[in-house]
Amino acid sequence: MTEISHWLTGVIDLAPPWAVYLTVIIVVYLEVAVLVCGLILPSEATLIAAGVAAAIGQPNIVVLAVCASLAALSGDLTGYYLGERTGPRIMQSWAGRKFGEDHWLKAEDRVRENVWVAVPIGRWIGYVRTLVPVAAGLSRVELRTYALATFVGGTTWSASVLVLAYVLGATAGVELIGILVIVLVAVGVGTVVLRALGRWRLHRQEEKASAQSDSAA
């Protein structure tokens, strides 16, 4: 872990502020604007690393918060338009199928029931923040209402994660944050693997059930 801490410190020292800002914008935007990116991009880990960089390096925490908030809002609006324009077809795309039909249906139901609860809370749950914008577009949620809800959700989420990482980075140093980043990435990868295994098992069960049905006929 000491070697990882030294490596992270070196990266933070070498990285110019604009590179940190740009990385935050790209990751936060793409995670919600492009479905396939929602499966692989660790936005929380990125924000934590950026918050630490602001605590012990050159990036400004206020600029980071503004960049993350605008990227989150832009990504959510892109996802909304994607859902509105493509309709249910996006659920049948390669990336759409990876999330699973049940998750799509739940996201649509939650958004229809109460957009002011579903959107801000969804920001804190991995794959949900990728599904909710598209589900809002599919459900034809009023754009102005959705934009306000996602602005509140994206701003509070990004500012909270950045400030927490900033405070921890200033007090505990980069070693503890390195552990947190590794844990978050591991949890994200593990979630994707478990979901893939669950879909594979369900597919196998459906194949067996279909084979038994054909044999009985």
Side-chain angles (χ1 to χ4, degrees):
M1 183 55 65
T2 302
E3 293 180 359
I4 295 176
S5 300
H6 289 329
W7 176 78
L8 283 173
T9 303
V11 170
I12 292 171
D13 289 338
L14 292 174
W18 66 264
V20 178
Y21 303 146
L22 183 60
T23 299
V24 167
I25 290 172
I26 291 174
V27 172
V28 172
Y29 173 80
L30 289 181
E31 186 191 35
V32 290
V34 182
L35 282 180
V36 67
C37 292
L39 296 168
I40 57 177
L41 289 181
S43 59
E44 263 104 359
T46 302
L47 289 179
I48 289 174
V52 175
I56 65 176
Q58 303 177 50
N60 184 283
I61 189 65
V62 176
V63 176
L64 278 173
V66 171
C67 288
S69 297
L70 292 177
L73 176 62
S74 300
D76 283 346
L77 291 178
T78 301
Y80 177 93
Y81 282 117
L82 185 64
E84 185 181 47
R85 297 295 175 85
T86 61
R89 296 193 308 275
I90 194 170
M91 297 169 59
Q92 303 304 319
S93 65
W94 178 85
R97 293 196 302 272
K98 293 297 181 182
F99 285 98
E101 184 177 358
D102 289 344
H103 289 143
W104 280 108
L105 295 176
K106 288 179 182 178
E108 288 188 73
D109 289 341
R110 297 294 184 273
V111 171
R112 289 195 193 101
E113 289 172 4
N114 194 331
V115 67
W116 286 103
V117 173
V119 174
I121 292 180
R123 256 286 159 192
W124 292 89
I125 308 172
Y127 67 92
V128 176
R129 63 172 158 262
T130 302
L131 292 181
V132 166
V134 182
L138 286 169
S139 304
R140 297 294 194 273
V141 174
E142 184 186 16
L143 178 58
R144 182 171 59 180
T145 301
Y146 173 73
L148 288 173
T150 198
F151 174 75
V152 172
T155 300
T156 54
W157 165 75
S158 57
S160 298
V161 176
L162 282 169
V163 170
L164 177 61
Y166 182 86
V167 172
L168 289 175
T171 57
V174 73
E175 184 170 349
L176 176 59
I177 306 305
I179 296 174
L180 291 176
V181 171
I182 292 171
V183 169
L184 281 172
V185 172
V187 169
V189 172
T191 301
V192 172
V193 172
L194 288 175
R195 287 209 306 266
L197 287 173
R199 288 192 298 270
W200 177 78
R201 288 176 180 174
L202 179 61
H203 180 66
R204 290 295 300 273
Q205 290 174 355
E206 290 175 348
E207 286 184 340
K208 289 181 179 178
S210 177
Q212 290 175 354
S213 177
D214 291 342
S215 298

